[in-house]
Short mmCIF file of all heavy atoms in Angstrom, two decimals:
data_model
loop_
_atom_site.label_atom_id
_atom_site.label_comp_id
_atom_site.label_asym_id
_atom_site.label_seq_id
_atom_site.Cartn_x
_atom_site.Cartn_y
_atom_site.Cartn_z
N MET A 1130 -7.35 11.84 3.94
CA MET A 1130 -6.60 10.80 3.24
C MET A 1130 -5.10 11.02 3.46
O MET A 1130 -4.65 12.14 3.66
CB MET A 1130 -6.90 10.82 1.73
CG MET A 1130 -8.35 10.55 1.39
SD MET A 1130 -8.88 8.90 1.83
CE MET A 1130 -8.48 8.02 0.31
N TYR A 1131 -4.37 9.95 3.41
CA TYR A 1131 -2.93 9.98 3.67
C TYR A 1131 -2.24 9.36 2.45
O TYR A 1131 -2.60 8.26 2.01
CB TYR A 1131 -2.65 9.15 4.92
CG TYR A 1131 -1.20 9.10 5.35
CD1 TYR A 1131 -0.73 9.93 6.37
CD2 TYR A 1131 -0.32 8.19 4.76
CE1 TYR A 1131 0.59 9.87 6.77
CE2 TYR A 1131 1.01 8.13 5.17
CZ TYR A 1131 1.45 8.97 6.17
OH TYR A 1131 2.76 8.89 6.59
N GLU A 1132 -1.27 10.09 1.88
CA GLU A 1132 -0.58 9.55 0.71
C GLU A 1132 0.70 8.86 1.14
O GLU A 1132 1.59 9.48 1.73
CB GLU A 1132 -0.27 10.66 -0.31
CG GLU A 1132 0.27 10.08 -1.61
CD GLU A 1132 0.38 11.12 -2.71
OE1 GLU A 1132 0.46 12.32 -2.39
OE2 GLU A 1132 0.39 10.71 -3.89
N GLN A 1133 0.77 7.57 0.87
CA GLN A 1133 1.92 6.76 1.27
C GLN A 1133 2.73 6.37 0.03
O GLN A 1133 2.18 5.83 -0.93
CB GLN A 1133 1.43 5.50 2.00
CG GLN A 1133 2.48 4.47 2.27
CD GLN A 1133 3.45 4.87 3.39
OE1 GLN A 1133 3.32 5.93 3.97
NE2 GLN A 1133 4.41 4.05 3.65
N PHE A 1134 4.02 6.67 0.06
CA PHE A 1134 4.91 6.27 -1.03
C PHE A 1134 5.65 5.00 -0.63
O PHE A 1134 6.12 4.87 0.50
CB PHE A 1134 5.91 7.40 -1.32
CG PHE A 1134 5.28 8.62 -1.94
CD1 PHE A 1134 4.73 9.61 -1.14
CD2 PHE A 1134 5.23 8.75 -3.32
CE1 PHE A 1134 4.14 10.73 -1.71
CE2 PHE A 1134 4.65 9.88 -3.89
CZ PHE A 1134 4.11 10.87 -3.09
N PHE A 1135 5.76 4.07 -1.56
CA PHE A 1135 6.48 2.83 -1.28
C PHE A 1135 6.90 2.20 -2.60
O PHE A 1135 6.47 2.62 -3.67
CB PHE A 1135 5.59 1.87 -0.48
CG PHE A 1135 4.33 1.45 -1.20
CD1 PHE A 1135 4.28 0.26 -1.90
CD2 PHE A 1135 3.22 2.27 -1.19
CE1 PHE A 1135 3.12 -0.13 -2.57
CE2 PHE A 1135 2.06 1.89 -1.86
CZ PHE A 1135 2.01 0.70 -2.55
N GLN A 1136 7.74 1.17 -2.49
CA GLN A 1136 8.18 0.47 -3.69
C GLN A 1136 7.26 -0.71 -3.98
O GLN A 1136 6.92 -1.48 -3.09
CB GLN A 1136 9.60 -0.06 -3.50
CG GLN A 1136 10.66 1.01 -3.71
CD GLN A 1136 12.05 0.40 -3.69
OE1 GLN A 1136 12.35 -0.44 -2.86
NE2 GLN A 1136 12.90 0.83 -4.60
N CYS A 1137 6.91 -0.83 -5.25
CA CYS A 1137 6.12 -1.98 -5.68
C CYS A 1137 6.93 -3.26 -5.46
O CYS A 1137 8.11 -3.30 -5.79
CB CYS A 1137 5.79 -1.82 -7.16
SG CYS A 1137 5.06 -3.30 -7.89
N PRO A 1138 6.33 -4.30 -4.86
CA PRO A 1138 7.07 -5.56 -4.62
C PRO A 1138 7.37 -6.34 -5.89
O PRO A 1138 8.10 -7.33 -5.84
CB PRO A 1138 6.13 -6.33 -3.69
CG PRO A 1138 4.78 -5.79 -3.96
CD PRO A 1138 4.98 -4.34 -4.30
N TYR A 1139 6.79 -5.94 -7.00
CA TYR A 1139 7.06 -6.63 -8.27
C TYR A 1139 8.10 -5.88 -9.11
O TYR A 1139 9.12 -6.43 -9.49
CB TYR A 1139 5.77 -6.74 -9.10
CG TYR A 1139 4.67 -7.49 -8.43
CD1 TYR A 1139 3.61 -6.80 -7.83
CD2 TYR A 1139 4.64 -8.88 -8.40
CE1 TYR A 1139 2.57 -7.48 -7.22
CE2 TYR A 1139 3.61 -9.57 -7.80
CZ TYR A 1139 2.57 -8.86 -7.20
OH TYR A 1139 1.55 -9.52 -6.60
N CYS A 1140 7.82 -4.63 -9.43
CA CYS A 1140 8.68 -3.90 -10.39
C CYS A 1140 9.62 -2.91 -9.70
O CYS A 1140 10.47 -2.33 -10.35
CB CYS A 1140 7.80 -3.17 -11.41
SG CYS A 1140 6.79 -1.83 -10.72
N TRP A 1141 9.46 -2.72 -8.38
CA TRP A 1141 10.35 -1.88 -7.58
C TRP A 1141 10.31 -0.40 -7.97
O TRP A 1141 11.17 0.37 -7.58
CB TRP A 1141 11.79 -2.40 -7.58
CG TRP A 1141 11.84 -3.78 -7.02
CD1 TRP A 1141 12.00 -4.94 -7.72
CD2 TRP A 1141 11.66 -4.17 -5.65
NE1 TRP A 1141 11.93 -6.02 -6.86
CE2 TRP A 1141 11.74 -5.57 -5.60
CE3 TRP A 1141 11.44 -3.45 -4.46
CZ2 TRP A 1141 11.60 -6.27 -4.41
CZ3 TRP A 1141 11.31 -4.16 -3.28
CH2 TRP A 1141 11.39 -5.56 -3.27
N GLU A 1142 9.31 -0.03 -8.72
CA GLU A 1142 9.11 1.39 -8.98
C GLU A 1142 8.50 2.02 -7.72
O GLU A 1142 7.75 1.36 -6.99
CB GLU A 1142 8.15 1.60 -10.16
CG GLU A 1142 8.73 1.20 -11.49
CD GLU A 1142 9.83 2.14 -11.97
OE1 GLU A 1142 9.81 3.32 -11.57
OE2 GLU A 1142 10.71 1.68 -12.72
N GLU A 1143 8.81 3.28 -7.47
CA GLU A 1143 8.16 3.96 -6.36
C GLU A 1143 6.78 4.42 -6.80
O GLU A 1143 6.64 5.13 -7.80
CB GLU A 1143 8.98 5.16 -5.88
CG GLU A 1143 8.32 5.76 -4.64
CD GLU A 1143 9.15 6.85 -3.98
OE1 GLU A 1143 9.06 8.00 -4.41
OE2 GLU A 1143 9.88 6.52 -3.04
N ILE A 1144 5.80 4.00 -6.05
CA ILE A 1144 4.42 4.38 -6.34
C ILE A 1144 3.80 4.95 -5.06
O ILE A 1144 4.38 4.86 -3.98
CB ILE A 1144 3.59 3.18 -6.86
CG1 ILE A 1144 3.59 2.04 -5.83
CG2 ILE A 1144 4.13 2.70 -8.20
CD1 ILE A 1144 2.73 0.87 -6.24
N SER A 1145 2.64 5.53 -5.20
CA SER A 1145 1.96 6.04 -4.02
C SER A 1145 0.51 5.60 -4.05
O SER A 1145 -0.06 5.36 -5.11
CB SER A 1145 2.02 7.57 -3.97
OG SER A 1145 1.26 8.14 -4.99
N MET A 1146 -0.04 5.45 -2.86
CA MET A 1146 -1.45 5.13 -2.73
C MET A 1146 -2.06 6.04 -1.67
O MET A 1146 -1.39 6.44 -0.72
CB MET A 1146 -1.66 3.67 -2.32
CG MET A 1146 -1.40 2.72 -3.47
SD MET A 1146 -1.71 1.02 -2.99
CE MET A 1146 -1.10 0.18 -4.46
N LEU A 1147 -3.32 6.33 -1.85
CA LEU A 1147 -4.05 7.14 -0.88
C LEU A 1147 -4.71 6.20 0.12
O LEU A 1147 -5.44 5.29 -0.25
CB LEU A 1147 -5.11 8.00 -1.57
CG LEU A 1147 -4.55 9.19 -2.36
CD1 LEU A 1147 -5.66 9.85 -3.16
CD2 LEU A 1147 -3.91 10.21 -1.44
N LEU A 1148 -4.43 6.42 1.39
CA LEU A 1148 -4.99 5.59 2.46
C LEU A 1148 -6.03 6.39 3.22
O LEU A 1148 -5.87 7.59 3.45
CB LEU A 1148 -3.87 5.17 3.42
CG LEU A 1148 -2.65 4.52 2.78
CD1 LEU A 1148 -1.58 4.28 3.84
CD2 LEU A 1148 -3.00 3.23 2.08
N ASP A 1149 -7.06 5.68 3.63
CA ASP A 1149 -8.16 6.32 4.36
C ASP A 1149 -7.82 6.34 5.86
O ASP A 1149 -7.81 5.31 6.52
CB ASP A 1149 -9.45 5.53 4.11
CG ASP A 1149 -10.66 6.22 4.69
OD1 ASP A 1149 -10.50 7.18 5.48
OD2 ASP A 1149 -11.77 5.80 4.35
N THR A 1150 -7.53 7.52 6.38
CA THR A 1150 -7.12 7.63 7.79
C THR A 1150 -8.28 7.38 8.76
O THR A 1150 -8.06 7.21 9.95
CB THR A 1150 -6.54 9.02 8.09
OG1 THR A 1150 -7.51 10.01 7.75
CG2 THR A 1150 -5.28 9.27 7.29
N SER A 1151 -9.49 7.34 8.27
CA SER A 1151 -10.63 7.12 9.16
C SER A 1151 -10.84 5.64 9.47
O SER A 1151 -11.63 5.29 10.34
CB SER A 1151 -11.91 7.70 8.55
OG SER A 1151 -12.28 6.98 7.40
N VAL A 1152 -10.13 4.77 8.75
CA VAL A 1152 -10.21 3.33 9.01
C VAL A 1152 -8.96 2.93 9.78
O VAL A 1152 -7.84 3.08 9.30
CB VAL A 1152 -10.29 2.53 7.69
CG1 VAL A 1152 -10.44 1.04 7.99
CG2 VAL A 1152 -11.45 3.03 6.84
N THR A 1153 -9.16 2.44 11.00
CA THR A 1153 -8.02 2.14 11.89
C THR A 1153 -7.10 1.09 11.27
O THR A 1153 -5.91 1.25 11.21
CB THR A 1153 -8.51 1.65 13.26
OG1 THR A 1153 -9.35 2.66 13.82
CG2 THR A 1153 -7.35 1.39 14.19
N GLN A 1154 -7.68 0.02 10.79
CA GLN A 1154 -6.86 -1.03 10.18
C GLN A 1154 -7.58 -1.61 8.98
O GLN A 1154 -8.78 -1.90 9.05
CB GLN A 1154 -6.56 -2.14 11.19
CG GLN A 1154 -5.75 -3.27 10.56
CD GLN A 1154 -4.84 -3.97 11.53
OE1 GLN A 1154 -4.94 -3.79 12.74
NE2 GLN A 1154 -3.94 -4.78 11.03
N GLN A 1155 -6.87 -1.75 7.88
CA GLN A 1155 -7.49 -2.36 6.71
C GLN A 1155 -6.45 -3.06 5.85
O GLN A 1155 -5.28 -2.72 5.83
CB GLN A 1155 -8.25 -1.32 5.88
CG GLN A 1155 -7.41 -0.21 5.32
CD GLN A 1155 -8.24 0.78 4.51
OE1 GLN A 1155 -9.27 0.43 3.95
NE2 GLN A 1155 -7.80 2.03 4.47
N THR A 1156 -6.93 -4.07 5.14
CA THR A 1156 -6.11 -4.81 4.18
C THR A 1156 -6.92 -4.91 2.91
O THR A 1156 -8.10 -5.26 2.93
CB THR A 1156 -5.79 -6.23 4.70
OG1 THR A 1156 -5.06 -6.11 5.92
CG2 THR A 1156 -4.95 -6.99 3.70
N TYR A 1157 -6.30 -4.55 1.80
CA TYR A 1157 -7.02 -4.63 0.54
C TYR A 1157 -6.04 -4.83 -0.60
O TYR A 1157 -4.83 -4.70 -0.42
CB TYR A 1157 -7.87 -3.38 0.32
CG TYR A 1157 -7.10 -2.08 0.27
CD1 TYR A 1157 -6.74 -1.52 -0.96
CD2 TYR A 1157 -6.72 -1.43 1.44
CE1 TYR A 1157 -6.02 -0.34 -1.01
CE2 TYR A 1157 -6.01 -0.26 1.39
CZ TYR A 1157 -5.66 0.29 0.16
OH TYR A 1157 -4.94 1.45 0.11
N ILE A 1158 -6.58 -5.15 -1.74
CA ILE A 1158 -5.78 -5.40 -2.92
C ILE A 1158 -5.92 -4.20 -3.86
O ILE A 1158 -7.02 -3.75 -4.16
CB ILE A 1158 -6.26 -6.67 -3.67
CG1 ILE A 1158 -6.35 -7.87 -2.73
CG2 ILE A 1158 -5.36 -6.96 -4.88
CD1 ILE A 1158 -5.05 -8.33 -2.16
N GLU A 1159 -4.75 -3.70 -4.29
CA GLU A 1159 -4.77 -2.63 -5.26
C GLU A 1159 -3.69 -2.90 -6.30
O GLU A 1159 -2.61 -3.37 -5.97
CB GLU A 1159 -4.53 -1.28 -4.57
CG GLU A 1159 -4.81 -0.12 -5.52
CD GLU A 1159 -5.13 1.17 -4.77
OE1 GLU A 1159 -5.87 1.13 -3.77
OE2 GLU A 1159 -4.62 2.21 -5.21
N ASP A 1160 -4.01 -2.61 -7.57
CA ASP A 1160 -3.05 -2.88 -8.63
C ASP A 1160 -1.98 -1.79 -8.67
O ASP A 1160 -2.27 -0.61 -8.49
CB ASP A 1160 -3.76 -2.93 -9.99
CG ASP A 1160 -4.68 -4.14 -10.11
OD1 ASP A 1160 -4.53 -5.08 -9.30
OD2 ASP A 1160 -5.54 -4.13 -11.01
N CYS A 1161 -0.75 -2.22 -8.94
CA CYS A 1161 0.34 -1.27 -9.13
C CYS A 1161 0.03 -0.39 -10.34
O CYS A 1161 -0.39 -0.87 -11.39
CB CYS A 1161 1.64 -2.03 -9.36
SG CYS A 1161 3.02 -0.98 -9.85
N GLU A 1162 0.27 0.92 -10.18
CA GLU A 1162 -0.04 1.83 -11.28
C GLU A 1162 0.99 1.73 -12.42
O GLU A 1162 0.75 2.24 -13.51
CB GLU A 1162 -0.12 3.27 -10.77
CG GLU A 1162 1.18 3.78 -10.18
CD GLU A 1162 0.99 5.08 -9.40
OE1 GLU A 1162 -0.11 5.32 -8.87
OE2 GLU A 1162 1.96 5.86 -9.35
N VAL A 1163 2.11 1.07 -12.16
CA VAL A 1163 3.15 0.92 -13.18
C VAL A 1163 3.02 -0.42 -13.91
O VAL A 1163 2.91 -0.47 -15.12
CB VAL A 1163 4.55 1.06 -12.56
CG1 VAL A 1163 5.64 0.85 -13.61
CG2 VAL A 1163 4.71 2.44 -11.91
N CYS A 1164 3.03 -1.54 -13.14
CA CYS A 1164 3.03 -2.86 -13.77
C CYS A 1164 1.66 -3.54 -13.70
O CYS A 1164 1.48 -4.61 -14.26
CB CYS A 1164 4.10 -3.75 -13.15
SG CYS A 1164 3.78 -4.20 -11.42
N CYS A 1165 0.71 -2.94 -13.01
CA CYS A 1165 -0.68 -3.41 -12.95
C CYS A 1165 -0.86 -4.75 -12.26
O CYS A 1165 -1.89 -5.40 -12.41
CB CYS A 1165 -1.31 -3.46 -14.35
SG CYS A 1165 -1.40 -1.84 -15.12
N ARG A 1166 0.14 -5.19 -11.50
CA ARG A 1166 -0.03 -6.44 -10.76
C ARG A 1166 -0.60 -6.16 -9.38
O ARG A 1166 -0.41 -5.08 -8.81
CB ARG A 1166 1.30 -7.18 -10.69
CG ARG A 1166 1.63 -7.83 -12.03
CD ARG A 1166 2.84 -8.71 -11.96
NE ARG A 1166 4.05 -7.91 -12.09
CZ ARG A 1166 5.27 -8.44 -12.23
NH1 ARG A 1166 5.43 -9.74 -12.25
NH2 ARG A 1166 6.32 -7.66 -12.35
N PRO A 1167 -1.33 -7.13 -8.82
CA PRO A 1167 -2.05 -6.89 -7.57
C PRO A 1167 -1.14 -6.89 -6.34
O PRO A 1167 -0.38 -7.83 -6.13
CB PRO A 1167 -3.06 -8.03 -7.52
CG PRO A 1167 -2.43 -9.13 -8.29
CD PRO A 1167 -1.60 -8.48 -9.37
N ILE A 1168 -1.25 -5.86 -5.55
CA ILE A 1168 -0.47 -5.71 -4.32
C ILE A 1168 -1.44 -5.77 -3.14
O ILE A 1168 -2.48 -5.10 -3.15
CB ILE A 1168 0.26 -4.36 -4.31
CG1 ILE A 1168 1.16 -4.22 -5.54
CG2 ILE A 1168 1.08 -4.20 -3.02
CD1 ILE A 1168 1.65 -2.79 -5.77
N GLU A 1169 -1.09 -6.58 -2.13
CA GLU A 1169 -1.89 -6.59 -0.92
C GLU A 1169 -1.34 -5.52 0.03
O GLU A 1169 -0.20 -5.60 0.48
CB GLU A 1169 -1.85 -7.95 -0.24
CG GLU A 1169 -2.77 -8.00 0.98
CD GLU A 1169 -2.75 -9.36 1.66
OE1 GLU A 1169 -3.27 -10.32 1.08
OE2 GLU A 1169 -2.18 -9.45 2.76
N VAL A 1170 -2.16 -4.53 0.29
CA VAL A 1170 -1.76 -3.39 1.10
C VAL A 1170 -2.43 -3.50 2.47
O VAL A 1170 -3.63 -3.72 2.57
CB VAL A 1170 -2.21 -2.07 0.42
CG1 VAL A 1170 -1.91 -0.88 1.31
CG2 VAL A 1170 -1.52 -1.92 -0.93
N THR A 1171 -1.62 -3.37 3.51
CA THR A 1171 -2.14 -3.35 4.88
C THR A 1171 -1.73 -2.03 5.53
O THR A 1171 -0.56 -1.65 5.46
CB THR A 1171 -1.57 -4.52 5.70
OG1 THR A 1171 -1.94 -5.74 5.07
CG2 THR A 1171 -2.13 -4.50 7.12
N SER A 1172 -2.69 -1.34 6.12
CA SER A 1172 -2.35 -0.09 6.80
C SER A 1172 -3.04 -0.05 8.15
O SER A 1172 -4.11 -0.62 8.35
CB SER A 1172 -2.78 1.12 5.96
OG SER A 1172 -4.18 1.16 5.81
N ARG A 1173 -2.36 0.59 9.09
CA ARG A 1173 -2.95 0.76 10.43
C ARG A 1173 -2.65 2.18 10.89
O ARG A 1173 -1.52 2.65 10.81
CB ARG A 1173 -2.37 -0.26 11.41
CG ARG A 1173 -3.03 -0.23 12.77
CD ARG A 1173 -2.96 -1.59 13.45
NE ARG A 1173 -1.61 -2.10 13.58
CZ ARG A 1173 -0.81 -1.86 14.62
NH1 ARG A 1173 -1.24 -1.14 15.64
NH2 ARG A 1173 0.40 -2.35 14.67
N PHE A 1174 -3.70 2.84 11.32
CA PHE A 1174 -3.58 4.22 11.78
C PHE A 1174 -3.87 4.33 13.26
O PHE A 1174 -4.69 3.59 13.80
CB PHE A 1174 -4.56 5.13 11.02
CG PHE A 1174 -4.12 5.46 9.62
CD1 PHE A 1174 -4.54 4.70 8.54
CD2 PHE A 1174 -3.26 6.52 9.39
CE1 PHE A 1174 -4.12 4.99 7.25
CE2 PHE A 1174 -2.83 6.82 8.11
CZ PHE A 1174 -3.26 6.06 7.04
N SER A 1175 -3.18 5.28 13.90
CA SER A 1175 -3.52 5.70 15.24
C SER A 1175 -3.81 7.19 15.15
O SER A 1175 -2.91 8.00 15.00
CB SER A 1175 -2.36 5.44 16.20
OG SER A 1175 -2.68 5.94 17.48
N GLY A 1176 -5.08 7.53 15.16
CA GLY A 1176 -5.45 8.90 14.85
C GLY A 1176 -5.13 9.17 13.39
O GLY A 1176 -5.53 8.40 12.52
N ASP A 1177 -4.40 10.25 13.11
CA ASP A 1177 -4.00 10.55 11.73
C ASP A 1177 -2.61 10.03 11.41
O ASP A 1177 -2.07 10.30 10.35
CB ASP A 1177 -4.02 12.07 11.49
CG ASP A 1177 -5.44 12.58 11.32
OD1 ASP A 1177 -6.34 11.76 11.05
OD2 ASP A 1177 -5.65 13.80 11.45
N GLU A 1178 -2.03 9.28 12.33
CA GLU A 1178 -0.66 8.83 12.15
C GLU A 1178 -0.61 7.39 11.66
O GLU A 1178 -1.24 6.49 12.25
CB GLU A 1178 0.10 8.95 13.48
CG GLU A 1178 1.59 8.70 13.34
CD GLU A 1178 2.32 8.86 14.67
OE1 GLU A 1178 1.69 9.33 15.64
OE2 GLU A 1178 3.50 8.50 14.74
N LEU A 1179 0.14 7.16 10.62
CA LEU A 1179 0.31 5.81 10.10
C LEU A 1179 1.32 5.07 10.95
O LEU A 1179 2.49 5.46 11.04
CB LEU A 1179 0.80 5.88 8.64
CG LEU A 1179 0.98 4.54 7.91
CD1 LEU A 1179 -0.37 3.84 7.73
CD2 LEU A 1179 1.64 4.77 6.56
N VAL A 1180 0.88 3.99 11.62
CA VAL A 1180 1.77 3.27 12.54
C VAL A 1180 2.25 1.95 11.96
O VAL A 1180 3.21 1.37 12.44
CB VAL A 1180 1.11 3.05 13.92
CG1 VAL A 1180 0.92 4.38 14.62
CG2 VAL A 1180 -0.21 2.32 13.80
N ALA A 1181 1.57 1.45 10.94
CA ALA A 1181 2.02 0.22 10.30
C ALA A 1181 1.61 0.24 8.84
O ALA A 1181 0.49 0.67 8.49
CB ALA A 1181 1.43 -0.99 10.99
N PHE A 1182 2.51 -0.21 7.99
CA PHE A 1182 2.19 -0.27 6.56
C PHE A 1182 2.95 -1.44 5.96
O PHE A 1182 4.12 -1.65 6.25
CB PHE A 1182 2.57 1.03 5.86
CG PHE A 1182 2.24 1.01 4.38
CD1 PHE A 1182 0.97 1.30 3.95
CD2 PHE A 1182 3.20 0.66 3.45
CE1 PHE A 1182 0.65 1.26 2.59
CE2 PHE A 1182 2.89 0.61 2.09
CZ PHE A 1182 1.62 0.91 1.67
N ASP A 1183 2.27 -2.19 5.11
CA ASP A 1183 2.91 -3.30 4.44
C ASP A 1183 2.33 -3.41 3.04
O ASP A 1183 1.14 -3.22 2.82
CB ASP A 1183 2.66 -4.58 5.22
CG ASP A 1183 3.77 -5.61 5.04
OD1 ASP A 1183 4.83 -5.25 4.47
OD2 ASP A 1183 3.58 -6.75 5.45
N ALA A 1184 3.19 -3.70 2.08
CA ALA A 1184 2.75 -3.92 0.70
C ALA A 1184 3.46 -5.16 0.20
O ALA A 1184 4.68 -5.18 0.06
CB ALA A 1184 3.10 -2.71 -0.16
N ILE A 1185 2.69 -6.22 -0.02
CA ILE A 1185 3.30 -7.50 -0.41
C ILE A 1185 2.69 -8.00 -1.70
O ILE A 1185 1.56 -7.69 -2.05
CB ILE A 1185 3.14 -8.56 0.71
CG1 ILE A 1185 1.65 -8.83 0.98
CG2 ILE A 1185 3.85 -8.11 1.98
CD1 ILE A 1185 1.43 -10.02 1.91
N ASP A 1186 3.47 -8.82 -2.41
CA ASP A 1186 2.95 -9.42 -3.63
C ASP A 1186 2.12 -10.64 -3.27
O ASP A 1186 2.38 -11.33 -2.29
CB ASP A 1186 4.09 -9.79 -4.58
CG ASP A 1186 4.99 -10.87 -4.01
OD1 ASP A 1186 4.65 -12.05 -4.21
OD2 ASP A 1186 5.98 -10.54 -3.37
N ILE A 1187 1.10 -10.92 -4.06
CA ILE A 1187 0.21 -12.05 -3.76
C ILE A 1187 0.22 -13.06 -4.90
O ILE A 1187 -0.64 -13.93 -4.99
CB ILE A 1187 -1.24 -11.59 -3.51
CG1 ILE A 1187 -1.79 -10.83 -4.71
CG2 ILE A 1187 -1.30 -10.74 -2.26
CD1 ILE A 1187 -3.29 -10.62 -4.63
N GLU A 1188 1.19 -12.94 -5.80
CA GLU A 1188 1.22 -13.84 -6.95
C GLU A 1188 2.22 -14.97 -6.81
O GLU A 1188 2.61 -15.59 -7.78
CB GLU A 1188 1.54 -13.03 -8.23
CG GLU A 1188 0.35 -12.21 -8.70
CD GLU A 1188 0.55 -11.66 -10.11
OE1 GLU A 1188 1.70 -11.56 -10.55
OE2 GLU A 1188 -0.46 -11.31 -10.73
N GLN A 1189 2.66 -15.24 -5.59
CA GLN A 1189 3.63 -16.33 -5.42
C GLN A 1189 2.94 -17.62 -5.01
O GLN A 1189 1.93 -17.57 -4.34
CB GLN A 1189 4.66 -15.96 -4.36
CG GLN A 1189 5.61 -14.89 -4.88
CD GLN A 1189 6.73 -14.61 -3.88
OE1 GLN A 1189 6.66 -15.01 -2.73
NE2 GLN A 1189 7.75 -13.91 -4.33
ZN1 ZN B 620 4.68 -2.55 -10.09
#
């Protein structure tokens, strides 16, 4: 697992999520641990290296 730190697109608090490095590319919804609003997280790995990461709000 890979721990990625980023800012929540809603409350701008720094949060972290655990990403599964065995999945090359995935998009899923996870709630912010601070404000509990849903964040769409996209991650892409090349081997154990994170090559793309995006966290966007889906409530607009
Ligand atoms: Zn938040």
